[in-house]
Amino acid sequence: MTILALGVNHKTATVEVREKVAFAADQLEVALQSLTQLGHVSESVIVSTCNRTELYCHLEQDDLTPVIEWLAAFHQVPVSELNQYLYQHADEQAVNHLMAVAAGLDSLVLGEPQILGQVKQAYQQAKEAGTVGTIFERLFQSTFSVAKDVRTNTEVGQNAVSVAFAAVNLAKHIFSSLSKATVLLVGAGETAELAARHLSEQGVAKMLIANRTRSRGEALAATVGGEAHSLSDLHSLLPQADIVISSTASPLPIVGKGLVESAVKKRRHRPMLLIDLAVPRDIEEQVGELDDVFLYTVDDLQSIVSANRKQRETEAATAREMITQQAAAFSAWLRSLNSVDLLRRYRQSNEAVAEQVLQRAMSSLASGKRPEDVLQELSTRLTNTLMHTPTRAIQEAGRQGDVTALAAYQKLIKN
């Protein structure tokens, strides 16, 4: 009996490889059921995101080869090609890995919160497909519990660790709320897109996007609910903007002191926050000399990001200790399910009860009690003592609606 974690992620495979083995949402039910039909896979959950594809399987034997062959065949990728990107963990290491993934400790951005929701969704889809049983039910509930504890009791997910996120956090500190702010994004590349998504999550009132290529600006605007403009419109857009975040690939500054000075006058000196994420700079350094203008560069934000990364790493060490303890506790529970150990402990427990009741009966006989009374007392006491624990277990299963446990108890009392 083995718990297996098998997959590829951003550390082991390029995006092209990850795309080859990703599971679309409409494939998951068929994939999960196909996987459990291999014969020795009794339970399975598939986690598939842009950064990872992982199979979690409860195996009846230790041979992992059929699972690897199944994954390769399902996606029509040669096993020889797939093997060079795969990692695998077994038993307690697999449990530890799953818990670390759910807590955001194995993510591209340390501590990112989205992965927990993705793992929960994967578990729910597997439940609906009928591939989660008693072992994985306990495993994933333990995983969600420790991930929640990590979020609650550490700061591994706190503070910005990307310049785009840091820029938005800076804007939140200067403007207590972004719900009434107008933001101008200059550029529509990867950094601008990341900033736009963070701004959208903060409920920014209005987002203007100015880009050299209008079509790319329109594509980003459609994604985040903004307005697309060309760079030639900057003179009319700047006076509207409370916050300007610029991140183009221009070799020369495109936002000059004169342009911003004119915008401030039209705004009647309402303050403006300008954040320059570009290298080389998009915004002239002299803009920072203007009254009512706050200018920050990528270097200002990088120092914040660097300090935050160190803080997250420190918190991650605490989180890993929490996960190690929870993984060990789950593994101990799993080992307790071993039938040989269970039978031995069950026999020892009953023998101890019988010995205790017998000694009490022998004492009663020695004190002169009638043998018939002693035997009756022995029978009643032995029956009640042996029935106590199973009775409480059946009652608790009934209260919890645990039909799996009730079905197992039913087998014990069949004639």
Side-chain angles (χ1 to χ4, degrees), residues 9-30:
N9 64 16
H10 59 280
K11 298 175 185 176
T12 67
T14 63
V15 65
E16 290 79 14
V17 173
R18 298 199 303 272
E19 285 173 345
K20 289 182 181 180
V21 294
F23 291 85
D26 58 2
Q27 292 180 308
L28 275 174
E29 183 176 0
V30 171

Side-chain angles (χ1 to χ4, degrees), residues 24 42-43 64 74 89 95 107 126 160 173 223 264 307 317 329 352 387 407 410:
S42 57
E43 300 178 63
L64 314 182
F74 191 93
H89 306 287
V95 174
S107 296
H173 280 97
T223 302
V264 171
M387 285 182 62
Q410 182 68 35

Side-chain angles (χ1 to χ4, degrees), residues 170 174-175 242-244 260 264 270-276 283 287-297:
L170 178 61
I174 293 178
F175 297 83
D242 302 303
I243 302 163
V244 179
V260 177
V264 171
R270 283 182 292 120
M272 294 179 71
L273 169 63
L274 288 88
I275 303 174
D276 190 349
I283 303 173
V287 167
E289 300 170 1
L290 297 172
D291 292 335
D292 305 307
V293 173
F294 302 90
L295 174 62
Y296 291 84
T297 69

Side-chain angles (χ1 to χ4, degrees), residues 97-243:
H97 177 76
L98 171 60
M99 292 178 176
V101 168
L105 302 187
D106 194 57
S107 296
L108 182 60
V109 177
L110 179 64
E112 60 94 2
Q114 289 83 5
I115 186 63
L116 177 56
Q118 291 166 334
V119 174
K120 285 184 174 180
Q121 183 179 14
Y123 156 79
Q124 189 58 43
Q125 289 168 322
K127 282 199 74 171
E128 291 170 0
T131 62
V132 171
T134 303
I135 304 300
F136 271 20
E137 180 68 34
R138 178 76 172 245
L139 170 60
F140 278 83
Q141 292 305 325
S142 296
T143 295
F144 302 147
S145 176
V146 75
K148 182 180 178 182
D149 286 346
V150 166
R151 291 279 160 200
T152 303
N153 299 315
T154 76
E155 295 185 359
V156 72
Q158 302 300 311
N159 303 319
V161 289
S162 73
V163 289
F165 192 17
V168 176
N169 270 9
L170 178 61
K172 282 174 60 183
H173 280 97
I174 293 178
F175 297 83
S176 57
S177 171
L178 300 185
S179 61
K180 296 180 180 179
T182 296
V183 179
L184 169 61
L185 294 177
V186 183
E190 184 177 337
T191 301
E193 181 179 354
L194 189 55
R197 292 186 186 279
H198 290 314
L199 288 163
S200 180
E201 289 171 2
Q202 295 299 322
V204 68
K206 187 177 183 180
M207 204 179 312
L208 309 170
I209 300 169
N211 194 54
R212 194 177 305 279
T213 306
R214 184 68 177 263
S215 59
R216 185 161 186 176
E218 288 174 344
L220 177 55
T223 302
V224 296
E227 296 179 10
H229 299 268
S230 65
L231 286 180
S232 60
D233 296 329
L234 278 178
H235 66 285
S236 62
L237 296 175
L238 279 170
Q240 303 177 50
D242 302 303
I243 302 163

Side-chain angles (χ1 to χ4, degrees), residues 287-309:
V287 167
E289 300 170 1
L290 297 172
D291 292 335
D292 305 307
V293 173
F294 302 90
L295 174 62
Y296 291 84
T297 69
V298 69
D299 287 343
D300 298 323
L301 297 181
Q302 284 288 13
S303 61
I304 297 172
V305 167
S306 180
N308 289 346
R309 282 204 182 105

Side-chain angles (χ1 to χ4, degrees), residues 331-364:
S331 296
W333 172 80
L334 192 61
R335 286 192 297 271
S336 76
L337 299 182
N338 182 286
S339 60
V340 175
D341 290 342
L342 185 62
L343 285 170
R344 184 176 64 251
R345 287 189 289 115
Y346 183 62
R347 179 181 292 277
Q348 288 172 345
S349 174
N350 287 344
E351 287 175 348
V353 169
E355 180 63 23
Q356 185 180 27
V357 172
L358 178 62
Q359 289 302 321
R360 188 184 184 99
M362 295 291 286
S363 296
S364 296

